[in-house]
Amino acid sequence: HKRGDSFDLLATIPAAWPDGYFADYTVAAQMRVLGAGTKIADLTVAWVDPLTTRTLRLTSLNTTAWPLCTAFFDVQFTRVSDGFVTSTTTTQMYILEDATHA
């Protein structure tokens, strides 16, 4: 990811879970520095279609303050009915300097 560019990622839920499976869950995600664990940002997480819960959109419009580093994130699902928590696999990414400036 290029620092300063808006972060916008679509994530598809695997077919192992039927449509609507995660309708009773809240979702959250944070970007952190690999190794240190320092929080870079709370990502905005929303269902593309809340009825099917097939695709999540993770965004952070302003990344100008993000550090140049290796970062990681996951998505955490919390079931509203009983508080059960589960997370996706952790994803790593590089935050790089942008070559083009305004």
Side-chain angles (χ1 to χ4, degrees):
H1 176 78
K2 297 288 185 90
R3 177 174 62 187
D5 292 356
S6 294
F7 181 78
D8 192 355
L9 175 76
L10 293 176
T12 302
I13 301 297
W17 288 276
D19 285 358
Y21 182 86
F22 291 102
D24 184 37
Y25 285 75
T26 60
V27 288
Q30 295 177 334
M31 186 74 65
R32 294 187 175 269
V33 176
L34 186 65
T38 308
K39 185 169 75 170
I40 297 169
D42 290 309
L43 302 176
T44 300
V45 185
W47 293 108
V48 172
D49 181 344
L51 295 178
T52 63
T53 65
R54 300 283 348 138
T55 305
L56 285 167
R57 185 173 187 185
L58 288 75
T59 58
S60 183
L61 295 181
N62 186 348
T63 68
T64 56
W66 286 18
L68 302 177
C69 66
T70 303
F72 69 101
F73 68 94
D74 62 11
V75 177
Q76 187 175 76
F77 300 82
T78 303
R79 190 165 45 211
V80 174
S81 61
D82 62 3
F84 176 81
V85 176
T86 189
S87 296
T88 64
T89 302
T90 301
T91 300
Q92 290 185 25
M93 61 179 247
Y94 298 108
I95 301 170
L96 306 171
E97 178 105 29
D98 197 349
T100 303
H101 300 267

